[in-house]
Amino acid sequence: MAMKRKEAPSPPPTLRHSSLHSSRHSLVLDEETFEEAFLRCAICRDRYESAEKVPKLLPCHHTFCLPCLTQMVRTEGEHRQSYSPLFRQLQNPVTIHCPSCRSGFLATEENLKQLATDYRVVQLMDFLKRTNRFKVNLCSKHHLQALNFFCETCIVPVCRDCTVIDHKEYKGHIVMDMEEALKKYVPTIDTTIDALEHEVATMQDRRLILENATKELEESRHTLFLNVEQSFATLRTCMEEREKEILELCDLVVDKEKEKIADKLNLISEREDKLLAKGKHLRESKGADDVEQMFRGQQDVRKFLSTPTVGLSSRDPAEEGLQTTFKFHNLELNNIILRLNNFGDITAKTEVNSRRGGTRGERFKSV
């Protein structure tokens, strides 16, 4: 990732600032390469730290972290123990060699701590800590050219060289500064996100209506069962088989209504999932200031929102007409006993809550 050192904010208009400050430019660096070259110990490859990984400057002017130099002294001391007794009796210091230039010098663990700290490295670490970092996307066609512009015609970010080679304005390309593009498209994205949230809220309202309708159907099932059982209590001796058929018919008609609602719930869940996914993608594009993805995502959402879901009405959820009730008829009970083989059916009445009003009836009969 590249990092970018930006100039501090300009002072208020009432204050003067020197021309030196006004002539400064942003500095673009490859942070990984910079860190690898200046801020990591050449032995352990760990990054220097002011507490534990202190950069110490050897007499040969090469820098390594204190733990690595200490380990070199200890290793040399352990190696001395393999020598003759005369050498083993020698006390510190030991001779260590610079890993870079192989210069040798005497050292102990204590005097390593007394070595000068390489404040050039410390200053560079402080420089990085105080410097604002920004991710800079570079052009794949033009070396080290930042993608600071956006071609609205091609829907791609472009660099300075692209604007004069491949995306010329006189050829119909509409090119603008990246910040200008963000100012232009962020409000549009916000509007699209609002539309997404409104659509999600509508789906949630419809879900609630359908779930309530399912509960009411279960209550209707209970009422139907009660009516059927009360009617057949009078005919229990000769009507047990018929009672079973009617109860099965009750299950059939209620389940049929529930299947209709389940189908609508599935459609709503699918659309809701797609809406949430597209909203998440659009927010991520916005958070990343990715104009290309924001533009494409916004177009995709607009197209998706303009396409109605097959099987879902575009009317208000309250107008869906899901208030289905059932009633078991036991008229002319005595006469029906004589015609027992053809006795019993279930009717369903759906109240349509719309401006035109009205009801819709349906009759179910067992086979």
Side-chain angles (χ1 to χ4, degrees):
M1 179 182 75
M3 65 178 181
K4 195 174 186 180
R5 182 187 179 191
K6 297 198 70 177
E7 187 64 25
S10 300
T14 54
L15 300 179
R16 295 183 178 180
H17 58 285
S18 67
S19 60
L20 175 62
H21 289 174
S22 62
S23 63
R24 288 182 178 177
H25 297 284
S26 297
L27 179 62
V28 179
L29 298 174
D30 184 338
E31 185 175 6
E32 294 182 0
T33 302
F34 182 84
E35 182 177 294
E36 191 70 22
F38 300 105
L39 303 182
R40 290 187 180 274
C41 173
I43 299 175
C44 64
R45 308 312 301 169
D46 289 339
R47 181 166 175 160
Y48 292 119
E49 296 178 4
S50 57
E52 297 181 359
K53 294 283 185 177
V54 182
K56 289 297 184 177
L57 191 64
L58 296 180
C60 59
H61 300 291
H62 290 118
T63 302
F64 305 94
C65 70
L66 180 59
C68 286
L69 295 176
T70 302
Q71 185 60 41
M72 290 174 62
V73 170
R74 292 175 180 174
T75 301
E76 185 63 28
E78 293 172 358
H79 183 63
R80 176 180 290 181
Q81 299 303 313
S82 63
Y83 295 166
S84 64
L86 178 63
F87 280 98
R88 287 201 299 269
Q89 293 175 1
L90 295 176
Q91 303 297 320
N92 285 335
V94 298
T95 300
I96 62 175
H97 298 274
C98 171
S100 296
C101 64
R102 306 308 300 168
S103 297
F105 60 93
L106 296 176
T108 66
E109 289 190 31
E110 188 60 33
N111 68 21
L112 285 178
K113 299 177 182 179
Q114 307 301 321
L115 288 174
T117 299
D118 192 343
Y119 283 100
R120 297 172 303 175
V121 174
V122 175
Q123 289 174 339
L124 287 176
M125 290 191 296
D126 185 62
F127 165 78
L128 286 186
K129 187 182 299 183
R130 298 174 180 272
T131 299
N132 295 328
R133 292 181 177 86
F134 299 91
K135 182 178 179 180
V136 178
N137 294 320
L138 302 178
C139 181
S140 59
K141 297 179 65 176
H142 304 108
H143 184 61
L144 293 180
Q145 287 293 323
L147 298 174
N148 292 330
F149 301 92
F150 182 74
C151 178
E152 190 175 51
T153 306
C154 302
I155 321 176
V156 291
V158 295
C159 71
R160 181 192 60 192
D161 291 351
C162 289
T163 62
V164 296
I165 299 175
D166 302 318
H167 300 266
K168 301 176 181 178
E169 292 188 357
Y170 75 86
K171 289 187 176 181
H173 292 269
I174 302 175
V175 179
M176 62 187 72
D177 183 84
M178 192 65 73
E179 292 185 2
E180 179 185 351
L182 287 173
K183 291 179 180 178
K184 179 177 180 180
Y185 290 114
V186 165
T188 304
I189 298 303
D190 289 338
T191 301
T192 304
I193 290 175
D194 290 341
L196 276 171
E197 292 175 347
H198 179 269
E199 183 72 8
V200 170
T202 300
M203 293 298 103
Q204 291 173 343
D205 291 341
R206 291 192 174 190
R207 174 188 292 276
L208 180 60
I209 291 173
L210 293 172
E211 289 174 349
N212 290 335
T214 302
K215 294 179 181 178
E216 292 175 1
L217 284 172
E218 290 300 329
E219 293 175 359
S220 297
R221 185 205 300 271
H222 175 73
T223 302
L224 278 170
F225 275 31
L226 180 61
N227 291 337
V228 170
E229 290 171 354
Q230 288 175 346
S231 299
F232 275 89
T234 308
L235 309 171
R236 184 61 59 195
T237 302
C238 60
M239 295 289 292
E240 287 184 356
E241 288 300 321
R242 188 61 181 169
E243 180 186 7
K244 180 180 179 181
E245 295 174 2
I246 296 298
L247 290 175
E248 290 176 352
L249 180 61
C250 292
D251 280 330
L252 175 65
V253 298
V254 173
D255 289 338
K256 181 177 180 180
E257 292 299 313
K258 288 183 65 177
E259 287 177 3
K260 294 178 182 178
I261 292 176
D263 291 340
K264 290 181 178 290
L265 283 173
N266 288 335
L267 292 173
I268 285 176
S269 296
E270 291 176 2
R271 186 169 179 85
E272 185 180 354
D273 290 342
K274 291 179 180 179
L275 288 167
L276 291 173
K278 292 179 181 296
K280 179 182 178 182
H281 175 71
L282 205 53
R283 290 188 182 91
E284 290 174 348
S285 299
K286 177 185 174 183
D289 291 340
D290 192 332
V291 178
E292 177 182 358
Q293 290 301 320
M294 288 193 305
F295 187 92
R296 293 185 182 278
Q298 186 266 348
Q299 288 184 328
D300 180 47
V301 169
R302 288 293 188 185
K303 181 179 179 181
F304 183 79
L305 292 178
S306 65
T307 304
T309 301
V310 177
L312 283 181
S313 171
S314 61
R315 298 177 299 179
D316 186 82
E319 299 177 2
E320 288 290 340
L322 298 170
Q323 303 301 319
T324 302
T325 59
F326 304 89
K327 184 177 181 180
F328 176 77
H329 296 279
N330 60 355
L331 300 177
E332 301 180 356
L333 180 61
N334 293 331
N335 294 331
I336 293 176
I337 294 176
L338 301 176
R339 297 182 286 113
L340 185 59
N341 289 336
N342 296 318
F343 172 69
D345 62 13
I346 302 294
T347 59
K349 183 177 68 173
T350 301
E351 298 178 0
V352 181
N353 298 322
S354 64
R355 295 178 181 176
R356 293 178 296 178
T359 60
R360 183 175 67 249
E362 193 171 359
R363 182 177 295 272
F364 302 90
K365 190 174 182 66
S366 64
V367 178

